[in-house]
């Protein structure tokens, strides 16, 4: 009987050791799974941060392009204004030239008329 009791005690110790080993294995597996989950979460966070940074860069590029487009538009508007002013100056000059020509023509006509009158009077 004593051997049987000793044998039972040995079996119980083996079972306890097996249970402890299983518990340790379970804990290790759980820890590994937790670490994997944490790593995945960190990777996701890093990806989100990278995406946000990329979006900000894209936004900045778009803003810069808009500014550049506005500046180009402003330059074109300024050029148009300048062209219009030049055209106005040219038109004004043409009018002035026409008026001078008309005055000269009138003076010539008057002189001719005067000469005719003078000749008729003679």
């Amino acid at each position: 009987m004593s051997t049987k009791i000793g044998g039972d005690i040995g079996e119980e110790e083996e079972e306890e050791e097996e249970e402890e080993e299983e518990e340790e294995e379970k804990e290790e597996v759980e820890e590994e799974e937790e670490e994997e989950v944490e790593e995945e979460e960190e990777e996701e966070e890093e990806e989100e941060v990278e995406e946000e940074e990329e979006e900000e860069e894209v936004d900045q590029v778009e803003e810069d392009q808009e500014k550049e487009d506005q500046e180009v538009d402003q330059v074109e508007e300024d050029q148009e204004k300048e062209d219009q002013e030049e055209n106005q100056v040219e038109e004004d000059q043409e009018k002035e030239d026409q008026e001078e020509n008309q005055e000269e023509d009138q003076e010539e006509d008057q002189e001719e008329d005067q000469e005719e009158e003078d000749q008729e009077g003679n």
Side-chain angles (χ1 to χ4, degrees):
M1 273 209 160
S2 63
T3 37
K4 186 166 191 200
I5 291 174
D8 284 346
I9 292 173
E11 278 182 35
E12 281 182 25
E13 285 179 3
E14 272 183 43
E15 284 179 15
E16 284 179 18
E17 282 180 21
E18 284 178 14
E19 285 178 12
E20 284 178 18
E21 284 178 15
E22 285 176 11
E23 278 295 315
E24 285 177 12
E25 285 179 13
K26 276 185 185 177
E27 287 176 7
E28 283 179 21
V29 167
E30 285 176 2
E31 283 178 16
E32 286 176 5
E33 287 176 351
E34 284 177 14
E35 285 178 10
E36 284 179 15
V37 166
E38 285 176 9
E39 285 177 10
E40 286 177 4
E41 288 176 349
E42 285 177 10
E43 285 178 7
E44 286 177 2
E45 284 179 24
E46 286 176 6
E47 285 177 3
E48 286 178 9
V49 165
E50 284 178 12
E51 285 178 6
E52 286 177 7
E53 288 175 350
E54 286 177 2
E55 286 176 3
E56 288 174 2
E57 286 178 15
V58 164
D59 287 352
Q60 188 61 48
V61 164
E62 289 177 348
E63 275 182 35
D64 292 349
Q65 185 62 47
E66 264 183 39
K67 264 186 180 167
E68 194 175 305
D69 289 352
Q70 286 175 349
E71 289 173 358
V72 164
D73 287 351
Q74 188 61 48
V75 164
E76 289 177 348
E77 281 181 27
D78 292 350
Q79 186 61 47
E80 269 183 34
K81 267 186 181 167
E82 196 176 304
D83 289 352
Q84 285 176 351
E85 290 172 358
E86 286 177 7
N87 287 340
Q88 188 61 48
V89 165
E90 288 177 3
E91 284 179 19
D92 291 350
Q93 186 63 46
E94 283 179 13
K95 273 184 184 172
E96 196 176 302
D97 289 352
Q98 282 178 351
E99 288 172 2
E100 284 178 8
N101 285 339
Q102 279 179 343
E103 285 175 15
E104 287 176 5
D105 287 349
Q106 282 177 348
E107 284 176 12
E108 284 177 12
D109 287 349
Q110 282 177 353
E111 285 176 10
E112 286 176 8
D113 289 348
Q114 189 65 41
E115 284 177 9
E116 283 178 14
E117 282 177 23
D118 287 351
Q119 283 179 354
E120 283 175 10
N122 284 340

